[in-house]
Structure formats: C-alpha cells, structure tokens
Amino acid sequence: MSQNKFIDLACDGVKGLNPYQPGKPISELEREYGVTDIIKLASNENPLGPSKKAMQAMQEAMQEIQLYPDGNGFELKKAIAEKFGFDLNQITLGNGSNDILELIARVFLTPADESLFSQYSFAVYPLATQAVGASMNIVSALPEDNEMPLGHDLAAMQAAISDKTKVIFVANPNNPTGTWLKAADLEAFIAAVPQNIIVVVDEAYFEYVQEAGYPDCSKLIVKYPNLIVTRTFSKAHGLAGVRVGFSISHPDIADLLNRVRQPFNVNTMAQAAAVASLADDEHIAASVASNSAGLKQIMEFCDAKGVGYIPSVGNFICIKVGSNNEKLGAAEIDEQLLRNGIIVRPVANYKMPEYLRVTVGTKAENDRLLKALEKIMNL
Ligand SMILES: Cc1ncc(COP(=O)(O)O)c(C=O)c1O
C-alpha cells in the first residue's frame, strides 16, 4: 500500500463529503440477515412498477443496445415538450433528476458561492454543493407543531439570501418530510428572489400530489427565467432502475446545463421507457390512486394507535416511532423490521432520529408493515 494520504489530494469540497446513503437493497438484507420474502419500502419507488408499455418499449430498445443512445434524446424531449407544452430547447435530460441537480451545481456554483436550502430537505442538495467546493446556507425549517411540520420556512429562506447565494433548492413536495408549498406562497417567494439567483423547484413527486392549491411551477418559467423545474421518471412512473429525469428551464439555462452534461447520460432503454410511460396516463392514474389509498391506510392506522406522523402528499410518510415507545427508539424498531423482512428508511442522517420514513406500498405491503409495527411497538 502506498504511504500517500489520498485524502490530502482530494478537492476541498470532497474531503468533507459524506456519501449518499441509499435504501438497503433487498439482496443485501437477504445476505446479511438470511431472511427471504422481503418488502422494500425505503426508496420511494412505485410499488406497482412501471407501465407495461414502458416494459415493452425497453424490450424493443434492447434490440439495438450495441449502439450508443441518442445523445440529444430527441424523441424523449419531443414527448416531454408536447406533453407539458414547452419547446425542445427548454428541456435537459438527466440520468435521474439527481444528475440534473449536479449539473446545476457544476454550472452555477463556485467555491465563492453558496447554495441555500431548508433543513430536512433532500440529501443531494448538500452533496452536489459540497462536491463543487461551494458553501451551504441551511435555513431552519418550520417547527414540528406547524401545519407543515419540519417543512420549508419560505419567509426564513427569503431572509437568509445573502450576496453569496447563487442557487436555491426548493423541494415541492419535500423529501423526507412529505410537506408541500402552496401556489401563492411559492410564487411570492420566487418573485422575491433576485433574478441573478437560480431557483430550482424539485418536483420529483409532482404526479402524486392531489392537494388543491399545489402548483405546477413549470408554468412559472415564462415569468421567472431564473427558475428551473426538475422532474423524474423514478417515482410515479416506476422507472427508478433505468435512471431518467429532466428539467424544464429557460433555453439559455438548458444550453449551459448541456455543456457539462455527459454526452450519453441517458441510456437507450431509459429513453424508450420514458417516452412510452409518458403516453400511459392510465398507469399514472392507477399509481396515484393506489398511493392515495395507501397514505390514508397508514395515516388512519397511526391516528387509531396514537402514533405521530408528518402528513405527507408524496408516496412516503415519516412515522414518529421513536417517541411513542419507551423501550425502543427508531433505530431498534428499524432493526426489528429488517429482521421481519421489511426495509424502511431511518432518517437519523437527516437529523430526524425519532422518525422512520416509509414508502407507501401496495395494500398487502402496508398491511404487513403496520402489523409488524403493531407487534414491535406493542401498540
Ligand atoms: C426530492 C427528490 N429529488 C430528487 C430525487 C432524485 O431522484 P432521481 O435521481 O431518481 O430522479 C429524489 C429521490 O429520492 C427526491 O426525493
């Protein structure tokens, strides 16, 4: 082994990075605990899977897999442009929307700049910021007794904008809290941000939200050219495994993102699947209906058992298991769920140590989770 301390060679931002902690894969739980018949409710995937049309499109696309993908993603951009009413040159494709968040950081953030975002928001915002050596301005979230517990405090975020602020990340709805921002409030915030600061509204869970007053911020781009809206095929479209997401922005911003994008960042099967999925509204409607029923099932259980939770509009919910049980904290409850073959997501890394974030599953999966919680927590 070399005597080099390679960490000394790394860029300053990278030295302090803690890698993203993904949900535990099913195969890992099988290996580590020797359990089978596992359900994974940890990464906010769609329990119904992808559209059958998307599966079919991937099988067809596989026939040409020796060829590079279309580096411009023409068919997919066209499908997105037509579906949502934009021009092709406003769309940037990403290897998941995570890729787009990183492209934004690389284009706009330098070590002299800061990104601004709320406490308890998506873990990739700090990662993307630190990786380019920029600093972070993390704004205190709303209190736990607010209508949107631990959600974004837009007034505080506005007040926290400084001369160094270059990019603001807003997740709507937010992960992991599942809280959301109303149209009038979010537009007032965007309007108040100086035009030389980029505002990213991350709409990864857009399709799932059923609340009246939830905004489609892509419609605001025409009014606020400093706005970028990101979306993904990983959640309601059920295509997390192939990695495809996109942003809608002013064409000049799309051009800049495109300059640092890997030429073939979205693979052939992902592009084909996404095009087919966009044409399958029925699958999205079924996925949304299943999610709404599942959210209701979980919230009703918590209400009946006196277990706290953060009301969510996404396809996941944070359950406050830690404070309900004198003997067991969230980490122990998580451990027991794992032994029962149920993978959920501890959120201690988000500094929410009393909560477990649970992805809404099928009725049968939710039944199994809730039964296990009932037993483990002695409810
Ligand atoms: C708020 C939010 N944004 C973005 C993403 C990134 O998803 P993907 O890269 O799969 O599009 C996630 C994934 O969990 C998320 O929760």
Side-chain angles (χ1 to χ4, degrees):
M1 260 316 240
S2 146
Q3 293 303 303
N4 277 346
K5 280 173 79 189
F6 290 113
I7 186 125
D8 293 339
L9 303 179
C11 309
D12 283 344
V14 176
K15 282 180 187 154
L17 272 184
N18 286 319
Y20 182 79
Q21 294 173 12
K24 194 183 265 299
I26 289 178
S27 54
E28 194 177 302
L29 185 62
E30 276 171 354
R31 273 196 313 275
E32 285 182 0
Y33 288 68
V35 284
T36 50
D37 189 21
I38 292 166
I39 55 171
K40 182 176 177 229
L41 301 173
S43 302
N44 306 343
E45 293 133 339
N46 182 345
L48 304 190
S51 148
K52 291 213 165 47
K53 291 178 183 162
M55 301 277 263
Q56 175 73 32
M58 283 192 277
Q59 262 162 5
E60 285 163 21
M62 217 159 39
Q63 307 308 316
E64 292 200 334
I65 211 68
Q66 74 280 14
L67 303 177
Y68 280 101
D70 174 0
N72 286 320
F74 176 78
E75 291 298 335
L76 177 53
K77 282 191 190 169
K78 186 162 149 278
I80 294 168
E82 282 170 5
K83 179 117 191 159
F84 300 112
F86 292 96
D87 291 333
L88 259 67
N89 63 3
Q90 294 185 268
I91 295 156
T92 307
L93 300 182
N95 190 252
S97 58
N98 194 141
D99 191 21
I100 305 272
L101 299 172
E102 289 185 18
L103 297 182
I104 293 168
R106 281 172 64 200
V107 168
F108 294 107
L109 292 174
T110 73
D113 304 316
E114 71 179 21
S115 72
L116 185 150
F117 51 88
S118 177
Q119 193 187 6
Y120 315 118
S121 58
F122 185 43
V124 166
Y125 309 152
L127 285 177
T129 303
Q130 287 173 282
V132 295
S135 48
M136 303 181 283
N137 184 348
I138 305 175
V139 181
S140 294
L142 293 168
E144 232 175 343
D145 61 359
N146 189 277
E147 180 198 3
M148 299 288 174
L150 310 184
H152 291 32
D153 183 342
L154 289 177
M157 288 174 73
Q158 189 183 328
I161 293 172
S162 80
D163 290 348
K164 286 176 74 183
T165 310
K166 195 80 166 293
V167 174
I168 301 176
F169 292 107
V170 178
N172 196 30
N174 183 45
N175 171 24
T177 58
T179 49
W180 61 287
L181 298 161
K182 294 174 184 157
D185 298 340
L186 187 48
E187 181 168 358
F189 173 78
I190 295 166
V193 174
Q195 294 269 312
N196 60 350
I197 297 174
I198 300 292
V199 180
V200 182
V201 178
D202 177 343
E203 295 185 343
Y205 301 93
F206 174 80
E207 295 86 350
Y208 281 119
V209 186
Q210 297 301 294
E211 257 59 25
Y214 170 74
D216 170 352
C217 280
S218 69
K219 301 273 188 296
L220 298 178
I221 289 167
V222 65
K223 225 164 140 188
Y224 307 102
N226 55 330
L227 178 61
I228 306 176
V229 173
T230 59
R231 303 246 178 105
T232 185
F233 288 90
S234 300
K235 306 300 178 186
H237 287 273
L239 289 166
V242 287
R243 314 300 301 125
V244 52
F246 63 96
S247 65
I248 308 166
S249 67
H250 187 282
D252 292 352
I253 291 182
D255 173 54
L256 290 166
L257 298 178
N258 206 40
R259 292 183 196 191
V260 295
R261 184 181 64 81
Q262 254 190 63
F264 303 108
N265 63 335
V266 183
N267 72 67
T268 304
M269 303 218 305
Q271 292 188 34
V275 170
S277 192
L278 278 177
D280 193 350
D281 290 338
E282 273 174 36
H283 184 68
I284 295 292
S287 303
V288 171
S290 160
N291 186 63
S292 299
L295 269 178
K296 189 162 170 274
Q297 181 188 359
I298 296 171
M299 292 197 266
E300 283 178 358
F301 169 89
C302 291
D303 288 338
K305 301 288 180 186
V307 177
Y309 61 89
I310 302 178
S312 169
V313 297
N315 69 336
F316 56 89
I317 180 164
C318 281
I319 304 182
K320 196 169 183 181
V321 293
S323 64
N324 280 77
N325 198 294
E326 279 162 19
K327 286 192 214 118
L328 299 176
E332 288 87 4
I333 293 170
D334 178 47
E335 176 67 22
Q336 295 209 24
L337 285 172
L338 289 173
R339 294 194 182 282
N340 280 278
I342 302 170
I343 311 175
V344 299
R345 181 72 74 94
V347 278
N349 61 324
Y350 281 96
K351 303 209 168 44
M352 296 168 62
E354 293 183 314
Y355 289 89
L356 289 176
R357 193 195 67 194
V358 167
T359 302
V360 177
T362 59
K363 164 104 178 40
E365 288 171 333
N366 301 334
D367 281 342
R368 196 171 141 193
L369 167 79
L370 299 177
K371 244 197 195 122
L373 280 180
E374 200 169 356
K375 198 162 155 230
I376 295 166
M377 294 172 69
N378 208 5
L379 294 170

